[in-house]
Amino acid sequence: MASACEMKNKIQGHPCFGGNHHKNGRMHLAVAPRCNIKCGYCTRKHDCANESRPGVTSRLLTPQEAIVKVREVMASPVVGPIIKVIGIAGPGDPLANEETFETFELIKKEFPHLMLCMSTNGLLLPESIDRLYKLGLHSLTVTINAVDPKVGARIYRDVVYHGRRYSGVEGADILIANQLEGLRLAGELGLTIKVNSVLVPGVNDDQIPLIAARVKKLGAFVMNIMPIIPEADFANIEPPSEGRMAEIRRANEDIIGQFAHCKQCRADAIGLIGQDVTIGEPGCAVSST
Ligand code: CLF
Ligand code: SF4
């Protein structure tokens, strides 16, 4: 596991791990359409709600199209210099898509100075971690919403693992075990790890400090607690207020550092967090998320 000092050096320039997000940007590549679990708050029509804002459908890219897009963005005199990270965060789960690995391979060859970042639900993390490490993955996010499978069963409808569908507690149990084991292995390899947790009021409030303590011990560097965006099974839930989010982050910051600037980005976001740009059409239109 990397020391705190080594970790501080490693996160320099990464906007989601505490490296000045006013100056350093990221580019997401929407190359991963398939998912292997079903979160209750996901509609599957949109980007992965664990890392990306639901309600916006991305245009999917093939790995070849993705590298063309990266070339285009890196050549832009306005945006190129601020991009420090290439992230794959959906619209499904990156590890359920071979395209994720192909894309990272292409980026690594052509832009070795860019940090490779990925966000996953963690189901396939234990079996993928060595491959990701060899590819040079810099930073990893695992979304963990519960450590108790009974609570997990209220959030995850089902899990498809090695060709079999598991539902309820059985599915949540497999998912949580793999998330924690994958995280442990990633910690041992010295990866920079963030844990996202979607706060579902009245369902997993009590899980947040338990998650914080477990993942800190396993090597996570920072935690990003995100408010649920009401969708699908949770369409009628009242999302937590900003005050409640601040309170819950404060309550956990003694256990593990808290990232509070997340904008629940789209799977195709480009630029500074919260100030995304659109590149592809003539000129460079600035839009906000
Ligand atoms: Fe992208 Fe995620 Fe990497 Fe950042 S986003 S894959 S860690 S480069 Fe950042 Fe966006 Fe929040 Fe994610 S603000 S949704 S935490
Ligand atoms: Fe949806 Fe993401 Fe959950 Fe998959 S991991 S079901 S894409 S929110």
Side-chain angles (χ1 to χ4, degrees), residues 179-250:
Q179 290 170 333
L180 296 173
E181 174 61 6
L183 211 144
R184 185 187 71 76
L185 295 168
E188 271 184 15
L189 290 168
L191 289 183
T192 316
I193 307 166
K194 170 162 69 62
V195 167
N196 283 358
S197 297
V198 178
L199 179 67
V200 189
V203 176
N204 68 346
D205 311 59
D206 69 327
Q207 295 292 295
I208 303 294
L210 303 177
I211 298 168
R214 281 292 282 282
V215 303
K216 171 74 183 178
K217 217 168 147 194
L218 295 173
F221 177 72
V222 70
M223 183 176 194
N224 171 26
I225 308 169
M226 308 187 295
I228 187 168
I229 298 175
E231 290 270 7
D233 300 355
F234 293 106
N236 297 320
I237 202 164
E238 179 81 28
S241 66
E242 279 187 25
R244 172 74 180 131
M245 290 305 300
E247 179 188 33
I248 197 151
R249 286 186 189 119
R250 256 196 318 272

Side-chain angles (χ1 to χ4, degrees), residues 86-105:
I86 298 292
I88 300 184
D93 185 70
L95 294 180
N97 297 269
E98 196 51 32
E99 290 85 346
T100 296
F101 300 94
E102 287 169 35
T103 306
F104 278 150
E105 194 76 67

Side-chain angles (χ1 to χ4, degrees), residues 23-45:
K23 213 175 92 197
N24 303 305
R26 46 73 183 110
M27 175 175 187
H28 281 176
L29 298 172
V31 295
R34 291 170 293 279
C35 192
N36 43 19
I37 68 171
K38 177 72 184 76
C39 303
Y41 45 69
C42 179
T43 63
R44 284 277 167 89
K45 283 185 242 138

